[in-house]
Amino acid sequence: MSDHAPGDLSFQAVVAEYFLGLRGGGLMLSPLDQEQVAEWERRGLPVAVVCRGLSRGLEDFLRRRPPGAGPTGPRSLRALRFGVEDEWSEFQARAIGDAPPPPPSEAAFAAARLAAARQRLSEAGAEAPPAWRDGYRAALEALGAPHRGSALQQVEAAIATADARLLAAWLASLDRPRRGSLGPRLSLRTGPRPRGASLGAHRQALRFHLLDASREAGLTCLRGTV
């Protein structure tokens, strides 16, 4: 199931904004790229998984470049599609584990996802640096807060809130120079807002790049992993 509820920014807009930032420019996706994104949305890939897969695909693309090749990135989003598929396969394996039958209901799936999120936070918090431990405790508390909507929507909202608590703790742990350099780094990763793209989609892309940066620093975030 996609993690975009009705009324949220469109799946296409967020993925396009994220990819154009990774590529370092461009105004819009090609028709073939738009169809690829639409296929991922129809199949129910969470937008966080797609964004992480695109980042993973770009790393593979850059590693495969012949020696002496210039810094030019991929021209199309479809060139990174195998990174997305690999990320999706790993996400499904983590979500399903070794149990062959799927959860019998939406409520059961939501409960299993919530339990996996709690376990992941508990394990990461036990090994986290002291400056991050309050953030992990706050994230665990956030998983128990009530939210509106269906069972899956409530879990998605709880996970988003938990990630926000983790990010806040991580940002607070940074010294002033590192925190001050983070904004320009994120802007560089995201690139300028393409003509016609909404401000909301641009901000959402920035948030995913922020999640990427926190994971690179060793923080265990939940979206796209449980």
Side-chain angles (χ1 to χ4, degrees), residues 2-220:
S2 168
D3 56 6
H4 265 60
D8 285 351
L9 296 168
S10 79
F11 187 100
Q12 286 259 354
V14 174
V15 172
E17 185 81 13
Y18 187 86
F19 169 70
L20 293 175
L22 285 178
R23 191 175 69 175
L27 296 177
M28 59 189 304
L29 298 182
S30 70
L32 283 175
D33 283 349
Q34 291 177 12
E35 177 54 33
Q36 177 66 72
V37 176
E39 179 194 341
W40 286 332
E41 185 174 17
R42 285 193 297 269
R43 288 167 53 198
L45 275 68
V47 68
V49 169
V50 173
C51 290
R52 291 184 64 190
L54 290 173
S55 180
R56 174 179 183 163
L58 179 62
E59 292 174 0
D60 291 341
F61 177 90
L62 295 176
R63 279 197 298 267
R64 292 196 306 269
R65 284 186 309 171
T72 305
R75 294 184 178 181
S76 71
L77 176 145
R78 295 179 73 252
L80 308 180
R81 65 188 184 279
F82 295 115
V84 175
E85 296 299 336
D86 288 344
E87 192 69 32
W88 175 230
S89 296
E90 291 181 10
F91 175 83
Q92 290 178 302
R94 288 192 298 267
I96 297 172
D98 296 328
S105 67
E106 178 179 299
F109 181 81
R113 190 179 179 198
L114 193 61
R118 287 196 174 103
Q119 180 178 355
R120 189 167 178 82
L121 287 180
S122 297
E123 292 173 352
E127 300 177 358
W132 296 358
R133 288 176 187 167
D134 285 344
Y136 279 105
R137 282 191 286 268
L140 276 168
E141 292 176 3
L143 290 179
H147 295 277
R148 295 180 179 179
S150 67
L152 287 175
Q153 288 172 337
Q154 290 179 51
V155 171
E156 184 60 38
I159 285 174
T161 303
D163 274 350
R165 301 280 174 83
L166 287 171
L167 285 172
W170 174 63
L171 290 170
S173 72
L174 300 177
D175 56 35
R176 182 173 295 180
R178 291 174 63 198
R179 192 162 54 243
S181 68
L182 188 59
R185 281 174 52 205
L186 294 178
S187 296
L188 185 62
R189 287 188 180 192
T190 308
R193 179 156 57 106
R195 185 180 305 166
S198 71
L199 180 60
H202 188 68
R203 287 174 174 169
Q204 186 79 318
L206 279 169
R207 290 190 189 100
F208 281 118
H209 282 297
L210 179 61
L211 283 171
D212 288 345
S214 70
R215 288 188 180 103
E216 290 166 8
L219 196 71
T220 299

